[in-house]
Coordinates of all heavy atoms in Angstrom, one line a residue:
I1 N -25.5 32.7 -36.5 CA -24.1 32.7 -36.8 C -23.9 32.4 -38.3 O -24.4 31.4 -38.8 CB -23.3 31.6 -36.0 CG1 -23.5 31.9 -34.5 CG2 -21.9 31.5 -36.4 CD1 -22.9 30.9 -33.6
P2 N -23.2 33.3 -39.0 CA -23.0 33.0 -40.4 C -22.0 31.9 -40.6 O -21.1 31.6 -39.7 CB -22.4 34.3 -40.9 CG -21.8 35.0 -39.7 CD -22.6 34.5 -38.6
Y3 N -22.1 31.1 -41.7 CA -21.2 30.0 -41.9 C -20.2 30.4 -43.0 O -20.5 31.3 -43.8 CB -22.0 28.8 -42.3 CG -22.9 28.9 -43.5 CD1 -22.4 28.6 -44.7 CD2 -24.2 29.4 -43.3 CE1 -23.2 28.7 -45.8 CE2 -25.0 29.5 -44.5 CZ -24.5 29.2 -45.7 OH -25.3 29.4 -46.8
L4 N -19.1 29.7 -43.0 CA -18.1 30.0 -44.0 C -18.4 29.2 -45.3 O -18.8 28.0 -45.2 CB -16.7 29.6 -43.5 CG -16.2 30.3 -42.3 CD1 -14.9 29.7 -41.8 CD2 -16.0 31.8 -42.6
T5 N -18.2 29.8 -46.4 CA -18.3 29.1 -47.6 C -17.0 29.2 -48.4 O -16.2 30.1 -48.1 CB -19.4 29.7 -48.5 OG1 -19.0 31.1 -48.8 CG2 -20.8 29.7 -47.9
R6 N -16.8 28.3 -49.2 CA -15.5 28.3 -50.0 C -15.9 28.2 -51.5 O -16.9 27.6 -51.8 CB -14.6 27.2 -49.6 CG -15.3 25.8 -49.8 CD -14.4 24.7 -49.3 NE -15.2 23.5 -49.4 CZ -14.7 22.3 -49.7 NH1 -13.4 22.2 -49.7 NH2 -15.5 21.3 -49.9
P7 N -15.2 28.9 -52.3 CA -15.5 28.8 -53.7 C -15.1 27.4 -54.3 O -14.2 26.7 -53.8 CB -14.6 29.8 -54.4 CG -13.4 30.0 -53.4 CD -14.0 29.7 -52.0
I8 N -15.9 26.9 -55.2 CA -15.7 25.7 -55.9 C -15.4 26.0 -57.3 O -16.2 26.7 -58.0 CB -16.9 24.7 -55.8 CG1 -17.2 24.4 -54.3 CG2 -16.6 23.4 -56.5 CD1 -16.2 23.7 -53.5
Y9 N -14.3 25.4 -57.8 CA -13.9 25.7 -59.2 C -14.3 24.6 -60.1 O -14.4 23.4 -59.7 CB -12.4 26.0 -59.2 CG -12.0 27.1 -58.4 CD1 -11.6 26.9 -57.1 CD2 -12.2 28.4 -58.8 CE1 -11.3 28.0 -56.2 CE2 -11.9 29.5 -58.0 CZ -11.4 29.3 -56.7 OH -11.1 30.4 -55.9
Q10 N -14.5 24.9 -61.4 CA -15.0 23.9 -62.3 C -14.1 22.7 -62.4 O -14.5 21.6 -62.6 CB -15.1 24.6 -63.7 CG -15.9 23.8 -64.7 CD -17.4 23.7 -64.2 OE1 -17.9 24.4 -63.5 NE2 -18.0 22.6 -64.7
D11 N -12.7 22.9 -62.4 CA -11.8 21.8 -62.5 C -10.5 22.1 -61.7 O -10.4 23.2 -61.1 CB -11.5 21.4 -63.9 CG -10.9 22.6 -64.7 OD1 -10.0 23.3 -64.1 OD2 -11.3 22.8 -65.8
A12 N -9.7 21.1 -61.6 CA -8.5 21.2 -60.8 C -7.5 22.3 -61.4 O -6.8 22.9 -60.6 CB -7.8 19.9 -60.7
G13 N -7.5 22.4 -62.7 CA -6.6 23.4 -63.3 C -7.0 24.8 -62.8 O -6.1 25.6 -62.6
K14 N -8.2 25.1 -62.8 CA -8.7 26.4 -62.4 C -8.4 26.7 -60.9 O -7.9 27.7 -60.5 CB -10.1 26.6 -62.7 CG -10.4 26.8 -64.1 CD -11.9 27.0 -64.4 CE -12.2 27.2 -65.9 NZ -11.8 26.2 -66.8
A15 N -8.6 25.7 -60.0 CA -8.3 25.8 -58.6 C -6.8 26.0 -58.4 O -6.4 26.8 -57.6 CB -8.8 24.5 -57.9
N16 N -6.0 25.2 -59.2 CA -4.6 25.3 -59.1 C -4.1 26.7 -59.4 O -3.2 27.3 -58.8 CB -3.9 24.3 -60.0 CG -2.5 24.1 -59.6 OD1 -2.2 23.5 -58.6 ND2 -1.6 24.4 -60.5
A17 N -4.7 27.3 -60.5 CA -4.3 28.7 -60.9 C -4.6 29.7 -59.8 O -3.8 30.6 -59.6 CB -5.0 29.0 -62.2
V18 N -5.7 29.5 -59.1 CA -6.0 30.4 -58.0 C -4.9 30.3 -56.9 O -4.5 31.4 -56.4 CB -7.4 30.1 -57.4 CG1 -7.7 30.9 -56.2 CG2 -8.5 30.5 -58.5
F19 N -4.5 29.1 -56.6 CA -3.4 29.0 -55.6 C -2.2 29.8 -55.9 O -1.6 30.4 -55.1 CB -3.1 27.5 -55.4 CG -2.2 27.2 -54.2 CD1 -2.8 27.0 -52.9 CD2 -0.9 27.3 -54.3 CE1 -2.0 26.8 -51.8 CE2 0.0 27.1 -53.2 CZ -0.6 26.8 -52.0
Y20 N -1.8 29.7 -57.2 CA -0.6 30.5 -57.7 C -0.8 32.0 -57.5 O 0.2 32.7 -57.2 CB -0.3 30.1 -59.1 CG 0.6 28.9 -59.3 CD1 0.0 27.7 -59.6 CD2 1.9 29.0 -59.2 CE1 0.8 26.6 -59.8 CE2 2.7 27.9 -59.3 CZ 2.2 26.7 -59.6 OH 3.0 25.6 -59.8
K21 N -2.0 32.4 -57.6 CA -2.2 33.9 -57.4 C -2.2 34.3 -56.0 O -1.9 35.4 -55.6 CB -3.6 34.3 -58.1 CG -3.6 34.2 -59.6 CD -5.0 34.6 -60.1 CE -5.0 34.4 -61.6 NZ -6.3 34.6 -62.2
L22 N -2.6 33.3 -55.1 CA -2.6 33.6 -53.7 C -1.3 33.7 -53.0 O -1.1 34.4 -51.9 CB -3.5 32.6 -52.9 CG -5.0 32.6 -53.3 CD1 -5.7 31.5 -52.6 CD2 -5.6 33.9 -52.9
F23 N -0.3 33.0 -53.5 CA 1.0 32.9 -52.8 C 2.1 33.3 -53.7 O 2.1 33.0 -54.9 CB 1.2 31.4 -52.3 CG 0.2 31.0 -51.2 CD1 -0.9 30.3 -51.6 CD2 0.3 31.4 -49.9 CE1 -1.9 30.0 -50.7 CE2 -0.6 31.1 -49.0 CZ -1.7 30.4 -49.3
P24 N 3.2 33.8 -53.1 CA 4.4 34.3 -53.9 C 5.0 33.2 -54.7 O 5.2 32.1 -54.3 CB 5.3 34.8 -52.8 CG 4.6 34.9 -51.6 CD 3.4 34.0 -51.7
E25 N 5.4 33.5 -55.9 CA 5.9 32.6 -56.9 C 7.2 31.9 -56.4 O 7.5 30.8 -56.6 CB 6.2 33.3 -58.2 CG 6.7 32.3 -59.3 CD 6.9 33.1 -60.6 OE1 6.2 34.1 -60.9 OE2 7.7 32.6 -61.4
K26 N 8.0 32.7 -55.7 CA 9.3 32.2 -55.3 C 9.2 31.1 -54.2 O 10.2 30.3 -54.0 CB 10.3 33.3 -54.8 CG 9.7 34.0 -53.6 CD 10.7 35.2 -53.2 CE 10.1 36.0 -52.1 NZ 10.9 37.1 -51.7
K27 N 8.1 31.0 -53.6 CA 7.9 29.9 -52.6 C 7.1 28.7 -53.1 O 6.8 27.8 -52.3 CB 7.2 30.5 -51.3 CG 8.1 31.5 -50.6 CD 7.4 32.0 -49.3 CE 8.3 33.0 -48.6 NZ 7.8 33.4 -47.3
Q28 N 6.7 28.7 -54.3 CA 5.8 27.7 -54.8 C 6.4 26.3 -54.7 O 5.6 25.3 -54.5 CB 5.4 28.0 -56.2 CG 4.3 29.1 -56.4 CD 3.0 28.7 -55.8 OE1 2.6 27.6 -55.8 NE2 2.3 29.7 -55.2
R29 N 7.7 26.1 -54.9 CA 8.3 24.8 -54.8 C 8.0 24.1 -53.5 O 7.8 22.9 -53.4 CB 9.8 24.8 -55.1 CG 10.1 25.0 -56.6 CD 11.5 24.8 -56.7 NE 11.8 23.3 -56.6 CZ 12.7 22.7 -57.4 NH1 13.3 23.4 -58.3 NH2 12.9 21.4 -57.2
R30 N 8.0 24.9 -52.4 CA 7.8 24.4 -51.1 C 6.3 24.1 -50.8 O 6.0 23.5 -49.8 CB 8.4 25.3 -50.0 CG 9.9 25.4 -50.1 CD 10.4 26.2 -48.9 NE 9.8 27.5 -48.8 CZ 10.1 28.4 -48.0 NH1 11.0 28.1 -47.0 NH2 9.5 29.6 -48.0
Y31 N 5.4 24.6 -51.6 CA 4.0 24.6 -51.3 C 3.3 23.5 -52.1 O 2.1 23.5 -52.3 CB 3.3 25.9 -51.7 CG 3.7 27.1 -50.8 CD1 3.5 28.3 -51.2 CD2 4.3 26.9 -49.5 CE1 3.8 29.4 -50.4 CE2 4.6 27.9 -48.7 CZ 4.4 29.2 -49.2 OH 4.7 30.3 -48.4
C32 N 4.0 22.4 -52.6 CA 3.3 21.4 -53.4 C 2.2 20.7 -52.7 O 1.2 20.5 -53.3 CB 4.4 20.5 -54.0 SG 5.2 19.5 -52.8
L33 N 2.4 20.3 -51.4 CA 1.4 19.6 -50.7 C 0.2 20.5 -50.4 O -1.0 20.1 -50.7 CB 1.9 18.9 -49.4 CG 0.9 18.1 -48.7 CD1 0.3 17.0 -49.5 CD2 1.5 17.5 -47.4
P34 N 0.4 21.7 -49.9 CA -0.8 22.6 -49.7 C -1.5 22.9 -51.0 O -2.8 22.9 -51.0 CB -0.3 23.8 -49.0 CG 1.0 23.5 -48.5 CD 1.6 22.3 -49.3
R35 N -0.8 23.0 -52.1 CA -1.4 23.3 -53.4 C -2.2 22.1 -53.8 O -3.3 22.3 -54.3 CB -0.3 23.7 -54.4 CG -0.8 24.1 -55.7 CD 0.2 24.6 -56.7 NE 1.4 23.7 -56.8 CZ 2.6 24.0 -56.4 NH1 2.9 25.1 -55.8 NH2 3.6 23.1 -56.6
A36 N -1.7 20.9 -53.7 CA -2.4 19.7 -54.1 C -3.7 19.6 -53.3 O -4.7 19.2 -53.9 CB -1.5 18.5 -54.0
I37 N -3.6 19.8 -52.0 CA -4.8 19.7 -51.2 C -5.8 20.7 -51.5 O -7.0 20.5 -51.6 CB -4.4 19.7 -49.7 CG1 -3.6 18.5 -49.3 CG2 -5.7 19.8 -48.8 CD1 -3.0 18.5 -47.9
F38 N -5.4 22.0 -51.7 CA -6.2 23.1 -52.1 C -6.9 22.7 -53.4 O -8.2 22.8 -53.5 CB -5.4 24.3 -52.2 CG -6.1 25.6 -52.7 CD1 -6.6 26.4 -51.7 CD2 -6.3 25.9 -54.0 CE1 -7.3 27.6 -52.1 CE2 -7.0 27.0 -54.4 CZ -7.5 27.9 -53.5
T39 N -6.2 22.3 -54.4 CA -6.7 21.9 -55.7 C -7.7 20.8 -55.6 O -8.8 20.9 -56.2 CB -5.5 21.5 -56.6 OG1 -4.6 22.7 -56.7 CG2 -6.0 21.1 -58.0
A40 N -7.4 19.8 -54.9 CA -8.3 18.6 -54.8 C -9.6 18.9 -54.1 O -10.6 18.5 -54.5 CB -7.6 17.4 -54.1
S41 N -9.5 19.8 -53.0 CA -10.6 20.0 -52.2 C -11.6 21.1 -52.9 O -12.7 21.1 -52.5 CB -10.3 20.5 -50.8 OG -9.5 21.7 -50.8
L42 N -11.1 21.9 -53.8 CA -11.9 23.0 -54.4 C -12.3 22.7 -55.8 O -12.9 23.5 -56.4 CB -11.2 24.3 -54.2 CG -11.0 24.8 -52.8 CD1 -10.3 26.1 -52.8 CD2 -12.2 24.8 -52.0
S43 N -11.9 21.6 -56.3 CA -12.3 21.2 -57.7 C -13.6 20.5 -57.7 O -13.8 19.5 -57.0 CB -11.2 20.4 -58.4 OG -11.6 19.8 -59.6
K44 N -14.5 20.9 -58.6 CA -15.8 20.3 -58.7 C -15.7 18.9 -59.2 O -16.4 18.0 -58.8 CB -16.6 21.1 -59.6 CG -18.1 20.8 -59.7 CD -18.8 21.8 -60.6 CE -20.3 21.7 -60.4 NZ -21.0 22.7 -61.2
R45 N -14.8 18.6 -60.2 CA -14.6 17.3 -60.8 C -13.7 16.4 -60.1 O -13.7 15.2 -60.5 CB -14.2 17.5 -62.3 CG -15.3 18.2 -63.0 CD -15.1 18.3 -64.5 NE -13.8 18.0 -65.1 CZ -13.3 18.6 -66.1 NH1 -13.9 19.6 -66.7 NH2 -12.1 18.3 -66.6
F46 N -12.9 16.8 -59.1 CA -12.0 15.9 -58.5 C -12.6 14.7 -57.8 O -12.1 13.6 -57.9 CB -11.1 16.7 -57.4 CG -10.1 15.8 -56.8 CD1 -8.8 15.7 -57.4 CD2 -10.3 15.2 -55.6 CE1 -7.9 14.9 -56.9 CE2 -9.3 14.4 -55.1 CZ -8.1 14.2 -55.7
K47 N -13.7 14.9 -57.2 CA -14.4 13.8 -56.5 C -14.6 12.6 -57.4 O -14.5 11.4 -57.0 CB -15.7 14.2 -55.9 CG -15.6 14.8 -54.5 CD -16.9 15.0 -53.9 CE -16.8 15.4 -52.5 NZ -18.0 15.6 -51.8
K48 N -15.0 12.9 -58.6 CA -15.3 11.8 -59.6 C -14.1 11.4 -60.4 O -13.9 10.2 -60.8 CB -16.4 12.2 -60.5 CG -16.9 11.1 -61.4 CD -18.2 11.6 -62.1 CE -18.7 10.5 -63.0 NZ -19.8 10.9 -63.8
N49 N -13.2 12.3 -60.8 CA -12.2 12.1 -61.8 C -10.8 12.4 -61.4 O -9.9 12.6 -62.2 CB -12.5 12.9 -63.1 CG -13.8 12.5 -63.6 OD1 -14.2 11.4 -63.7 ND2 -14.6 13.5 -63.9
G50 N -10.5 12.5 -60.1 CA -9.2 13.0 -59.7 C -8.4 12.1 -58.7 O -9.0 11.3 -58.0
T51 N -7.1 12.3 -58.7 CA -6.3 11.5 -57.7 C -5.2 12.5 -57.3 O -4.6 13.2 -58.1 CB -5.6 10.3 -58.4 OG1 -6.6 9.5 -58.9 CG2 -4.8 9.5 -57.4
L52 N -4.9 12.5 -56.0 CA -3.8 13.3 -55.4 C -2.7 12.3 -55.1 O -2.9 11.2 -54.5 CB -4.2 13.9 -54.1 CG -3.2 14.9 -53.4 CD1 -4.0 16.0 -52.7 CD2 -2.3 14.1 -52.5
F53 N -1.5 12.6 -55.6 CA -0.3 11.7 -55.4 C 0.7 12.4 -54.5 O 0.9 13.6 -54.6 CB 0.3 11.4 -56.8 CG -0.4 10.6 -57.7 CD1 -1.3 11.1 -58.6 CD2 -0.4 9.2 -57.6 CE1 -2.0 10.3 -59.5 CE2 -1.1 8.4 -58.4 CZ -1.9 8.9 -59.4
I54 N 1.4 11.6 -53.8 CA 2.6 12.0 -53.1 C 3.7 11.0 -53.5 O 3.5 9.8 -53.5 CB 2.5 12.0 -51.5 CG1 1.4 13.0 -51.1 CG2 3.8 12.3 -50.9 CD1 1.1 13.0 -49.6
G55 N 4.8 11.6 -54.0 CA 5.9 10.7 -54.5 C 7.2 11.0 -53.8 O 7.4 12.1 -53.2
A56 N 8.1 10.1 -53.9 CA 9.5 10.2 -53.4 C 10.5 10.2 -54.5 O 10.3 9.5 -55.5 CB 9.8 9.1 -52.4
F57 N 11.5 11.0 -54.4 CA 12.6 11.1 -55.3 C 13.7 10.2 -54.8 O 14.4 10.6 -53.9 CB 13.1 12.5 -55.6 CG 14.1 12.6 -56.6 CD1 13.9 12.3 -57.9 CD2 15.4 13.1 -56.3 CE1 14.8 12.4 -58.9 CE2 16.4 13.2 -57.3 CZ 16.1 12.9 -58.6
L58 N 13.8 9.0 -55.2 CA 14.7 8.0 -54.7 C 16.1 8.1 -55.3 O 16.1 8.4 -56.5 CB 14.1 6.6 -54.9 CG 12.7 6.4 -54.3 CD1 12.2 5.0 -54.8 CD2 12.7 6.5 -52.8
P59 N 17.1 8.0 -54.6 CA 17.3 7.5 -53.2 C 17.3 8.6 -52.2 O 17.7 8.4 -51.1 CB 18.6 6.7 -53.3 CG 19.4 7.5 -54.2 CD 18.4 8.0 -55.3
T60 N 16.9 9.8 -52.5 CA 16.9 10.9 -51.6 C 15.7 10.8 -50.7 O 14.8 9.9 -50.9 CB 16.9 12.3 -52.3 OG1 15.7 12.5 -52.9 CG2 18.0 12.4 -53.3
S61 N 15.5 11.8 -49.8 CA 14.3 11.8 -49.0 C 13.4 12.9 -49.5 O 12.4 13.3 -48.8 CB 14.7 12.1 -47.5 OG 15.4 13.3 -47.4
H62 N 13.6 13.5 -50.7 CA 12.8 14.5 -51.2 C 11.4 14.0 -51.6 O 11.3 12.9 -52.1 CB 13.4 15.1 -52.5 CG 14.7 15.8 -52.2 ND1 15.3 16.7 -53.0 CD2 15.5 15.7 -51.1 CE1 16.4 17.1 -52.5 NE2 16.6 16.6 -51.4
M63 N 10.4 14.8 -51.3 CA 9.0 14.4 -51.6 C 8.3 15.5 -52.4 O 8.8 16.6 -52.4 CB 8.2 14.2 -50.3 CG 8.8 13.3 -49.3 SD 8.7 11.6 -49.8 CE 7.0 11.2 -49.4
H64 N 7.3 15.1 -53.2 CA 6.5 16.0 -54.0 C 5.1 15.5 -54.1 O 4.8 14.3 -54.0 CB 7.2 16.1 -55.4 CG 6.6 17.1 -56.3 ND1 6.5 18.5 -56.0 CD2 5.9 17.0 -57.5 CE1 5.9 19.1 -57.0 NE2 5.6 18.2 -57.9
S65 N 4.2 16.4 -54.3 CA 2.8 16.0 -54.4 C 2.2 16.8 -55.6 O 2.6 17.9 -56.0 CB 2.0 16.3 -53.2 OG 2.0 17.7 -52.8
W66 N 1.2 16.1 -56.3 CA 0.6 16.6 -57.4 C -0.8 16.0 -57.6 O -1.2 15.0 -57.0 CB 1.4 16.4 -58.7 CG 1.6 15.0 -59.0 CD1 0.9 14.2 -59.9 CD2 2.6 14.1 -58.5 NE1 1.4 12.9 -60.0 CE2 2.5 12.8 -59.1 CE3 3.6 14.2 -57.6 CZ2 3.3 11.7 -58.8 CZ3 4.4 13.1 -57.3 CH2 4.2 11.9 -57.9
V67 N -1.6 16.6 -58.5 CA -3.0 16.2 -58.7 C -3.1 15.9 -60.2 O -2.7 16.6 -61.1 CB -4.0 17.3 -58.3 CG1 -5.4 16.9 -58.8 CG2 -4.0 17.5 -56.8
I68 N -3.7 14.7 -60.5 CA -4.1 14.3 -61.8 C -5.6 14.2 -61.8 O -6.3 13.6 -61.0 CB -3.5 12.9 -62.2 CG1 -2.0 12.8 -62.1 CG2 -4.0 12.5 -63.6 CD1 -1.3 13.6 -63.1
E69 N -6.2 15.0 -62.8 CA -7.7 15.0 -62.9 C -8.0 14.7 -64.4 O -7.4 15.4 -65.3 CB -8.2 16.3 -62.5 CG -9.7 16.4 -62.4 CD -10.2 17.7 -62.0 OE1 -10.2 18.7 -62.8 OE2 -10.6 17.8 -60.8
D70 N -8.9 13.8 -64.6 CA -9.3 13.5 -66.0 C -8.1 13.1 -66.8 O -8.0 13.3 -68.0 CB -10.0 14.6 -66.7 CG -11.4 14.9 -66.1 OD1 -12.0 14.0 -65.6 OD2 -11.8 16.1 -66.1
G71 N -7.1 12.4 -66.2 CA -6.0 11.9 -66.9 C -4.9 12.9 -67.2 O -3.9 12.6 -67.9
M72 N -5.1 14.2 -66.7 CA -4.1 15.2 -67.0 C -3.6 15.9 -65.7 O -4.3 16.0 -64.7 CB -4.8 16.3 -67.8 CG -5.2 15.8 -69.2 SD -6.0 17.1 -70.2 CE -4.6 18.2 -70.4
L73 N -2.4 16.3 -65.7 CA -1.8 17.0 -64.6 C -2.5 18.4 -64.4 O -2.6 19.1 -65.4 CB -0.3 17.2 -64.8 CG 0.5 17.9 -63.8 CD1 0.6 17.0 -62.5 CD2 1.9 18.2 -64.3
A74 N -2.9 18.7 -63.2 CA -3.6 19.9 -62.9 C -2.7 21.1 -63.0 O -3.2 22.2 -63.2 CB -4.3 19.8 -61.6
D75 N -1.5 21.0 -62.7 CA -0.5 22.1 -62.5 C 0.3 22.3 -63.8 O 1.2 21.5 -64.0 CB 0.4 21.9 -61.3 CG 1.3 23.1 -61.0 OD1 1.4 24.0 -61.9 OD2 1.9 23.1 -59.9
I76 N 0.0 23.2 -64.6 CA 0.7 23.4 -65.9 C 2.2 23.8 -65.7 O 3.0 23.7 -66.6 CB 0.0 24.4 -66.8 CG1 0.0 25.8 -66.2 CG2 -1.3 23.9 -67.2 CD1 -0.5 26.9 -67.2
Y77 N 2.5 24.3 -64.5 CA 3.9 24.8 -64.2 C 4.8 23.7 -63.6 O 6.0 23.9 -63.5 CB 3.9 26.0 -63.3 CG 3.1 27.1 -63.8 CD1 1.9 27.5 -63.2 CD2 3.6 27.9 -64.9 CE1 1.1 28.6 -63.8 CE2 2.8 28.9 -65.4 CZ 1.6 29.3 -64.8 OH 0.9 30.3 -65.4
D78 N 4.2 22.6 -63.2 CA 4.9 21.5 -62.5 C 5.7 20.7 -63.5 O 5.1 19.9 -64.3 CB 4.0 20.7 -61.7 CG 4.7 19.7 -60.8 OD1 5.9 19.5 -60.9 OD2 4.0 19.0 -60.0
K79 N 7.0 20.8 -63.6 CA 7.8 20.0 -64.5 C 8.5 18.9 -63.8 O 9.2 18.1 -64.4 CB 8.8 20.9 -65.2 CG 8.2 22.1 -65.9 CD 7.4 21.8 -67.1 CE 7.0 23.0 -67.8 NZ 5.6 23.0 -68.2
Q80 N 8.5 18.8 -62.5 CA 9.3 17.9 -61.7 C 8.5 16.6 -61.3 O 9.1 15.6 -60.9 CB 9.9 18.5 -60.5 CG 8.9 19.1 -59.5 CD 9.6 19.8 -58.4 OE1 10.8 19.8 -58.2 NE2 8.8 20.4 -57.5
W81 N 7.2 16.6 -61.4 CA 6.4 15.5 -60.9 C 6.8 14.2 -61.5 O 6.8 13.1 -60.9 CB 4.9 15.7 -61.1 CG 4.5 15.6 -62.6 CD1 4.6 16.6 -63.5 CD2 4.0 14.5 -63.2 NE1 4.1 16.1 -64.7 CE2 3.7 14.8 -64.5 CE3 3.6 13.2 -62.7 CZ2 3.2 13.9 -65.4 CZ3 3.1 12.3 -63.7 CH2 2.9 12.7 -65.0
I82 N 7.2 14.1 -62.8 CA 7.6 12.9 -63.5 C 8.8 12.2 -62.9 O 9.0 11.0 -63.0 CB 7.7 13.2 -65.0 CG1 7.7 11.9 -65.8 CG2 9.0 14.0 -65.2 CD1 6.3 11.3 -65.9
Q83 N 9.6 12.9 -62.1 CA 10.8 12.4 -61.5 C 10.5 11.6 -60.2 O 11.4 11.0 -59.7 CB 11.8 13.5 -61.2 CG 12.2 14.3 -62.5 CD 13.1 15.5 -62.1 OE1 13.4 15.7 -61.0 NE2 13.4 16.3 -63.1
Y84 N 9.3 11.7 -59.7 CA 9.0 11.2 -58.4 C 8.2 9.9 -58.5 O 7.3 9.7 -59.4 CB 8.2 12.2 -57.6 CG 9.0 13.3 -57.1 CD1 9.3 14.4 -58.0 CD2 9.5 13.4 -55.9 CE1 10.1 15.4 -57.6 CE2 10.3 14.4 -55.4 CZ 10.6 15.5 -56.3 OH 11.4 16.5 -55.9
T85 N 8.5 8.9 -57.7 CA 7.8 7.6 -57.7 C 6.7 7.7 -56.7 O 6.9 8.0 -55.5 CB 8.8 6.5 -57.2 OG1 9.9 6.5 -58.1 CG2 8.1 5.2 -57.2
P86 N 5.4 7.5 -57.2 CA 4.3 7.6 -56.3 C 4.4 6.6 -55.1 O 4.7 5.4 -55.3 CB 3.1 7.3 -57.1 CG 3.6 7.6 -58.5 CD 5.0 7.3 -58.5
V87 N 4.2 7.1 -53.9 CA 4.2 6.2 -52.7 C 2.9 6.3 -52.0 O 2.6 5.5 -51.2 CB 5.3 6.6 -51.7 CG1 6.7 6.4 -52.3 CG2 5.2 8.1 -51.3
M88 N 2.0 7.2 -52.4 CA 0.7 7.3 -51.9 C -0.2 8.0 -52.9 O 0.2 8.9 -53.6 CB 0.7 8.2 -50.6 CG -0.5 8.0 -49.8 SD -1.8 9.3 -49.5 CE -1.4 10.7 -50.5
E89 N -1.4 7.5 -53.0 CA -2.5 8.1 -53.8 C -3.7 8.2 -53.0 O -4.0 7.4 -52.2 CB -2.7 7.4 -55.2 CG -3.5 6.1 -55.1 CD -3.8 5.6 -56.4 OE1 -2.9 4.9 -57.0 OE2 -4.9 5.8 -56.9
W90 N -4.5 9.3 -53.3 CA -5.7 9.5 -52.6 C -6.8 9.9 -53.5 O -6.6 10.8 -54.4 CB -5.5 10.6 -51.5 CG -6.8 10.8 -50.7 CD1 -7.2 10.1 -49.6 CD2 -7.7 11.9 -50.8 NE1 -8.4 10.6 -49.2 CE2 -8.7 11.7 -49.9 CE3 -7.8 13.0 -51.7 CZ2 -9.8 12.6 -49.8 CZ3 -8.8 13.8 -51.6 CH2 -9.8 13.6 -50.6
Q91 N -8.0 9.3 -53.3 CA -9.2 9.6 -54.1 C -10.4 9.7 -53.2 O -10.3 9.3 -52.0 CB -9.5 8.5 -55.2 CG -8.3 8.3 -56.1 CD -8.5 7.1 -57.0 OE1 -9.2 6.2 -56.6 NE2 -7.8 7.1 -58.1
W92 N -11.5 10.2 -53.6 CA -12.7 10.4 -52.8 C -13.5 9.2 -52.6 O -14.6 9.2 -52.3 CB -13.6 11.5 -53.4 CG -13.2 12.9 -53.0 CD1 -12.6 13.8 -53.9 CD2 -13.5 13.5 -51.8 NE1 -12.5 14.9 -53.2 CE2 -13.0 14.8 -51.9 CE3 -14.0 13.1 -50.6 CZ2 -13.0 15.8 -50.9 CZ3 -14.1 14.1 -49.6 CH2 -13.6 15.4 -49.7
G93 N -13.0 8.1 -52.9 CA -13.8 6.9 -52.7 C -13.5 5.8 -53.7 O -12.8 6.1 -54.6
K94 N -14.2 4.7 -53.6 CA -14.0 3.7 -54.5 C -14.6 4.0 -55.9 O -15.6 4.6 -56.0 CB -14.5 2.4 -54.0 CG -13.8 1.9 -52.7 CD -14.4 0.7 -52.2 CE -13.6 0.3 -50.9 NZ -14.1 -0.9 -50.3
R95 N -14.0 3.5 -56.9 CA -14.5 3.7 -58.3 C -15.0 2.4 -58.8 O -14.7 1.4 -58.6 CB -13.4 4.2 -59.2 CG -12.9 5.5 -58.7 CD -11.9 6.0 -59.6 NE -11.4 7.2 -59.0 CZ -11.1 8.3 -59.6 NH1 -11.2 8.4 -60.9 NH2 -10.6 9.4 -59.0

């Protein structure tokens, strides 16, 4: 039985760019969580240098997710992340 392989990208920015190519641009705002998970799981450097955040826009119930790798935002198109208060962060283990 053949096994499935997945491509691994050099960094989160490259993985994030691939996600944008796979899905229509007009729906990207709704795809922040799948995009962050895709980016984190397919980036070679995320395990050592990355954090996935989920934040809330208070006092509303709006949520947003994003990835920071090597101290930089992985998504060059994401202009709204700064408005959200992080309520959860995820990394691959203790540092």
Side-chain angles (χ1 to χ4, degrees):
I1 297 175
Y3 58 92
L4 297 174
T5 61
R6 59 186 178 148
I8 301 296
Y9 300 97
Q10 196 63 23
D11 58 47
K14 288 181 177 60
N16 197 69
V18 169
F19 189 91
Y20 274 98
K21 290 179 184 175
L22 293 174
F23 296 97
E25 184 178 331
K26 63 184 176 182
K27 294 185 179 185
Q28 284 293 328
R29 282 191 76 141
R30 292 189 305 184
Y31 293 161
C32 65
L33 183 58
R35 183 174 52 247
I37 293 170
F38 179 93
T39 298
S41 64
L42 297 181
S43 168
K44 190 176 194 177
R45 294 188 348 214
F46 182 85
K47 273 189 175 182
K48 187 174 181 184
N49 301 313
T51 304
L52 185 149
F53 290 94
I54 296 178
F57 185 63
L58 304 172
T60 71
S61 60
H62 296 197
M63 304 290 280
H64 185 60
S65 57
W66 64 95
V67 170
I68 303 287
E69 185 180 78
D70 292 328
M72 297 182 63
L73 182 66
D75 186 349
I76 62 170
Y77 301 111
D78 187 356
K79 305 292 186 227
Q80 62 184 353
W81 73 276
I82 197 73
Q83 301 172 4
Y84 289 79
T85 302
V87 294
M88 196 248 3
E89 74 174 82
W90 182 79
Q91 300 170 338
W92 275 104
K94 296 180 182 178
R95 295 182 188 221

